[in-house]
Amino acid sequence: MSAGERFLPYGRQSIEADDIARVAEVLQADYLTTGPLIARFEEAFAEAVGARHAVVSNSGTAALHLATHAAGLGPGDVAIVPSVTFLATANAVRYVGAEVVFADVDPENGLLTAETAEAALARAGAMGRPRAILPVHLNGHSVDMVAIRALAERQGLAVIEDACHAIGGSHPAGNGAMAAVGACAASDFACFSLHPVKTITMGEGGVTTTSDSAAFQRMSRFRSHGMVREAAQFEQRALAFAPDGEVNPWYYEMPEPGFNYRATDFACALGLSQLGKLARFAARRREMRARYDRLLKPLAPIVRPVRPTSGDAVLHLYAVLIEFDMLGLDRAAAMRRLKDEGIGTMVHYLPVHMQPYYRHRYGTSVLEGAEAYYRRVLSIPFHPGMSDADIDRVVAALERLARRAHAA
Ligand SMILES: *Cc1c(COP(=O)(O)O)cnc(C)c1O
């Protein structure tokens, strides 16, 4: 890294002065939590992704747990999860006592396919009743939801999209139509994260979208201890109502225990402000992707972008596949070399079936597509704060790496 060149992390939030002002306003207002910003953010989010309902929570992990719970998953049930994802996709299945069957992925883009899902289903029977499938739109590239929906309908599975990487994009929804990611056109739930490294942020935060009003109510309750405050739903009428028929002012009920997954009002203020920038951030991400795609072409086959899928993706991560065998340099050494040039990279992800917890629980298995993807993948710097010159700098560093392979 020469003097004056910034370190480029693989991802980073883009916070602007108006984001800070919106948060500061809420910090001086009456409600820091359970205030008016919660519903305002949820309504704006639902509108932005074309969803009927949106429930905000305090992480993408909570958003996934709200969905697995509302889908009615529990002990004796099995859910299909692609192995190449963040831990939370699989953990959300375990939180409700269901078992995970890891599906293999396409080695060229890390995505679940109808074929790998079917192969996982064939293994699932021994572990319980298959009840759900959790496609992950890895890096922002969409899983083929039309094929997954068809499979889910044949097998009676709930579909929970892990859309944490895919906000702002759209994908084929059947009959030639396109739908926004999050509209749940071919799924029961879609889950988002607003962690700082994601496309928009609220510090920590998550959103679950659904078309199902009953599931929406259930998730809203589960997010806040399982508490019910609507008089019409009270079960213990003698405790709930005074002799004059009025609701006792202190009264609430808990039909089933929930969690405290509430987002704060100031986080929602940040989320609302960032949501207003989604179109601009998405446009910049599309431009940046096009520049990387074009400039990386000459580096194939040693370095090439992961294979895209149909749909209009807004990428969260820019992932390349590198043939480290041809480089004569292993991945850790390549990452250190890039870091010395001011370029941050990361691996997304170690396949989850290789984590000790899941190995101990389910035994060691081999998923060849996942492992082939994992061996070659590297996320390179990609966030709207980067200039075209920053992208050129990353490509030049990758070119120097690739040239070693030709020299070797
Ligand atoms: C970030 C992420 C999550 C979890 O979100 P948090 O907000 O960090 O809890 C889940 N799945 C995927 C694919 C993610 O990238």
Side-chain angles (χ1 to χ4, degrees):
M1 178 162 48
S2 55
E5 280 187 340
R6 298 179 298 146
F7 182 80
L8 298 171
Y10 77 86
R12 190 189 143 76
Q13 70 274 20
S14 301
I15 299 292
E16 297 164 332
D18 57 335
D19 295 315
I20 295 166
R22 295 292 92 75
V23 173
E25 281 163 23
V26 173
L27 288 174
Q28 292 163 303
D30 290 335
Y31 293 97
L32 296 188
T33 190
T34 54
L37 267 295
I38 310 301
R40 268 178 57 200
F41 173 70
E42 288 178 336
E43 281 158 22
F45 193 98
E47 186 173 339
V49 303
R52 285 261 298 278
H53 305 287
V55 179
V56 66
S57 55
N58 55 21
S59 71
T61 304
L64 284 158
H65 188 188
L66 293 178
T68 55
H69 176 261
L73 280 184
D77 295 336
V78 171
I80 309 296
V81 175
S83 183
V84 177
T85 185
F86 183 57
L87 305 169
T89 322
N91 292 349
V93 172
R94 292 294 305 128
Y95 295 158
V96 293
E99 303 298 338
V100 179
V101 171
F102 289 105
D104 206 0
V105 298
D106 182 333
E108 296 305 306
N109 56 25
L111 295 178
L112 180 75
T113 67
E115 292 72 34
T116 63
E118 295 239 39
L121 270 171
R123 283 184 274 120
M127 291 170 61
R129 196 167 29 131
R131 281 286 310 279
I133 185 164
L134 287 86
V136 177
H137 304 310
L138 191 70
N139 302 313
H141 296 294
S142 273
V143 169
D144 179 348
M145 290 306 296
V146 176
I148 295 294
R149 184 49 146 188
L151 171 67
E153 277 174 5
R154 281 200 305 279
Q155 304 282 344
L157 307 175
V159 181
I160 301 170
E161 294 173 83
D162 183 335
C164 290
H165 291 188
I167 191 170
S170 50
H171 47 199
N175 300 325
M178 296 282 278
V181 173
C184 300
S187 71
D188 300 291
F189 301 93
C191 305
F192 296 88
S193 166
L194 286 89
H195 178 277
V197 86
K198 308 291 159 78
T199 295
I200 58 169
T201 188
M202 50 195 279
E204 294 277 7
V207 179
T208 314
T209 59
T210 186
S211 309
D212 179 340
S213 302
F216 169 66
Q217 299 296 339
R218 194 162 181 215
M219 292 192 290
S220 302
R221 275 208 316 266
F222 193 65
R223 168 185 60 188
S224 189
H225 307 284
M227 281 163 77
V228 173
R229 289 182 180 280
E230 293 77 35
Q233 292 177 33
F234 290 152
E235 183 181 314
Q236 306 183 117
R237 306 197 64 85
L239 286 171
F241 295 95
D244 65 0
E246 288 295 305
V247 180
N248 288 320
W250 64 84
Y251 192 75
Y252 52 79
E253 265 183 15
M254 188 190 76
E256 61 170 349
F259 285 79
N260 181 350
Y261 280 163
R262 292 190 304 257
T264 63
D265 276 60
F266 50 97
C268 288
L270 180 54
L272 205 51
S273 180
Q274 290 262 300
L275 203 52
K277 303 172 182 198
L278 177 57
R280 171 159 60 89
F281 289 171
R284 179 60 188 148
R285 282 177 181 269
R286 287 193 173 97
E287 267 174 26
M288 292 173 54
R289 173 189 174 187
R291 189 174 187 88
Y292 265 139
D293 285 352
R294 179 165 55 80
L295 296 177
L296 287 173
K297 277 221 171 75
L299 277 62
I302 296 164
V303 179
R304 64 210 151 86
V306 298
R307 194 178 60 216
T309 56
S310 55
D312 182 18
V314 172
L315 298 189
H316 156 51
L317 297 169
Y318 195 94
V320 294
L321 298 175
I322 302 183
E323 303 299 333
F324 291 100
D325 300 346
M326 294 167 78
L327 281 188
L329 193 68
D330 67 25
R331 180 164 50 191
M335 287 176 77
R336 275 196 297 275
R337 188 175 290 239
L338 289 167
K339 189 174 174 215
D340 289 343
E341 297 192 44
I343 294 164
T345 57
M346 191 43 68
V347 175
H348 297 97
Y349 299 93
L350 175 70
V352 185
H353 76 281
M354 295 166 78
Q355 290 292 345
Y357 170 79
Y358 287 110
R359 275 196 160 141
H360 295 152
R361 190 166 185 84
Y362 301 126
T364 295
S365 54
V366 176
L367 295 174
E368 282 173 5
E371 290 166 37
Y373 181 80
Y374 164 66
R375 271 197 302 279
R376 297 174 298 157
V377 75
L378 197 66
S379 299
I380 60 177
F382 194 67
H383 49 90
M386 289 170 66
S387 64
D388 286 354
D390 291 332
I391 293 176
D392 298 353
R393 206 178 113 205
V394 176
V395 173
L398 290 171
E399 254 165 14
R400 282 192 292 278
L401 269 189
R403 236 183 277 129
R404 293 173 51 95
H406 292 301

